[in-house]
Amino acid sequence: MRDGARGPGARTQDDWVERVRAASDIVEVIGQTVALKRTGRNLVGLCPFHKEKTGSFSVNPERQFYHCFGCKAGGDVFRFVQETEKVGFLEAVEILSRRAGIPVPERREAGDAGARGRLHEALEAAAAAYEQWLGDPARGAAARAYLERRGLARETQRAFRLGLAPEGWENLVQRLRGRLADDVLVEAGLAARRESGRGGLYDRFRNRLMVPLVAPGGQVVGFGARALAEGDNPKYLNSPETPVYHKGAFLFALDAARRRTERDGEMIVVEGYFDAIALHQAGLGNTVATSGTALTADQARLLKRVVPRVVLTYDGDAAGQEAMMRSLGVLLAEGLDVVVADLPAGEDPDTLIQRGGLEAWQAVRERAADPVEFVQRHVLRGGAGGRDPRERALQAVVELGVRVTDPIRRQALVERASQVFRQPERVIARAMDLRRQGQPSEKPVEAAVRRQRSGESYGER
């Protein structure tokens, strides 16, 4: 191939992008989120990217371009979707492609592309089947009654595409047989192979309420499944790791929640699917769930792309408290601002909303603690532990500070810890320095205090 020439794959992708561009009128796309009024050749509205009272956001239908005279944001229809949906360029094209009914070509290596496409096809077909079974007058009656007891409206059920995997061993396998190969159903995490001499497949999910896991862009990548029968363990069964689903790099409801973050400026992070769904139904659409797994650095980086601040809201039991302690360090290490909405013992976000509605959440949010205050509360609640609880709490804050790489954020943490624990800032800062140098985890604060009392200099190391 001569220099500068491009292969057929590149031409195919370019053709697809231009087809999507031609099919996506910028006025129609922007008009779904911004109220526009015609002024001469342009349409004008309030800018979605900054707060304003007088509209400085202008859309030119002839040039298919938008521009804000206030914050200087501007671009074409793809750029608008990138900024509002918090996605990359190709993801924005895919969103508009599906909106226009244009097939999305595979954009990965040729050998891998077809396989991923078949997995997505299988998962989408399964989601449609589960939705249909939930709506079945006879088969879905018990599952629908369960959802009603949890206070989930039919509109919410449809918005989250909730479904039912009926009782029986081969409902989905029989439904998709002939359409998709056995290997695809197994690799997608929808079926498993029998180990007996009979061979064949059986459904992975049986007699469970199905929650599709939807990635940014709208593709189903897996499922969370809640048992409907008492004693059916585990209570929650998730899809296994697959080429399209990686548990530690996925946040439930992010596809919907990212559209609300411009208004709210923060993301509420909960643990479970139904916690997130309940908050969305109550009007708190800026909510995602870690799906019951420990928060990972990959998930924190996803959040950092969308918001500057996170509100941690886990269950009000001991396990939830410990999970928030672990999550604090992960979020602070990625440079996020964090507050903790601490729930009463025995409460979780779902029951909080069911009991008191949006007002109950707002009361909890108003009392949210900063990381230092939460650590102090958590350790003091823990009671006896061999050492003075205040000392253990301060040591936990030192551990958090070691993970904060931004010196300005670390200094803010030091100042707050000094206020809460009534220790000089230089003692706390020195303790963090000693910990970074490898001092045993229970000794840096003691060492820093001893050095202060002995008048040791806190100059350059």
Side-chain angles (χ1 to χ4, degrees), residues 237-306:
L237 179 64
N238 288 333
S239 288
E241 296 272 323
T242 72
V244 297
Y245 173 60
H246 304 289
K247 179 172 56 178
F250 178 84
L251 287 168
F252 175 72
L254 180 61
D255 184 52
R258 60 188 178 166
R259 302 185 184 100
R260 291 287 301 273
T261 55
E262 288 291 344
R263 189 192 77 177
D264 299 289
E266 63 186 28
M267 190 75 80
I268 303 166
V269 178
V270 298
E271 288 186 286
Y273 306 123
F274 286 99
D275 291 328
I277 293 171
L279 266 61
H280 274 255
Q281 180 173 271
L284 298 167
N286 57 319
T287 302
V288 296
T290 58
S291 308
T293 63
L295 187 78
T296 68
D298 285 338
Q299 291 169 328
R301 282 190 283 271
L302 283 176
L303 292 166
K304 182 69 180 295
R305 286 180 56 188
V306 180

Side-chain angles (χ1 to χ4, degrees), residues 319-343:
Q321 297 282 313
E322 286 295 330
M324 285 195 287
M325 284 286 290
R326 292 190 297 269
S327 297
L328 273 177
V330 177
L331 293 166
L332 291 172
E334 293 301 325
L336 283 151
D337 294 329
V338 188
V339 295
V340 180
D342 210 359
L343 299 183

Side-chain angles (χ1 to χ4, degrees), residues 12-177:
T12 299
Q13 182 162 293
D14 287 347
D15 292 344
W16 166 61
V17 170
E18 292 310 312
R19 282 184 64 202
V20 173
R21 189 192 303 276
S24 303
D25 180 69
I26 195 168
V27 174
E28 292 181 6
V29 173
I30 294 179
Q32 291 182 336
T33 55
V34 179
L36 298 172
K37 293 183 179 180
R38 182 168 290 278
T39 303
R41 291 186 176 182
N42 296 337
L43 292 99
V44 176
L46 296 176
C47 181
F49 305 115
H50 78 287
K51 293 181 179 180
E52 61 178 6
K53 295 182 179 180
T54 302
S56 59
F57 183 81
S58 176
V59 182
N60 186 310
E62 295 176 6
R63 296 177 57 205
Q64 291 289 295
F65 193 85
Y66 71 90
H67 176 75
C68 177
F69 293 93
C71 68
K72 309 304 180 185
D76 60 6
V77 68
F78 298 137
R79 185 64 183 174
F80 182 81
V81 173
Q82 283 183 263
E83 293 298 323
T84 54
E85 300 287 340
K86 306 296 184 185
V87 295
F89 175 76
L90 286 177
E91 289 173 299
V93 181
E94 288 179 1
I95 290 170
L96 290 170
S97 184
R98 295 188 182 93
R99 178 182 179 274
I102 298 172
V104 177
E106 295 292 345
R107 55 182 172 92
R108 298 178 185 271
E109 293 80 2
D112 183 50
R116 292 176 64 89
R118 286 189 290 273
L119 294 181
H120 284 305
E121 180 184 357
L123 291 160
E124 179 59 40
Y130 295 142
E131 284 183 276
Q132 184 177 349
W133 282 321
L134 179 62
D136 183 272
R139 274 181 155 176
R144 291 195 303 273
Y146 169 80
L147 291 171
E148 288 173 8
R149 289 195 299 273
R150 294 198 71 143
L152 295 183
R154 292 293 174 87
E155 293 78 10
T156 302
Q157 297 174 33
R158 286 192 289 269
F160 283 91
R161 301 190 63 186
L162 302 185
L164 169 70
E167 291 184 270
W169 290 87
E170 296 183 0
N171 290 293
L172 188 66
V173 168
Q174 293 291 350
R175 178 79 168 256
L176 301 183
R177 181 162 286 155

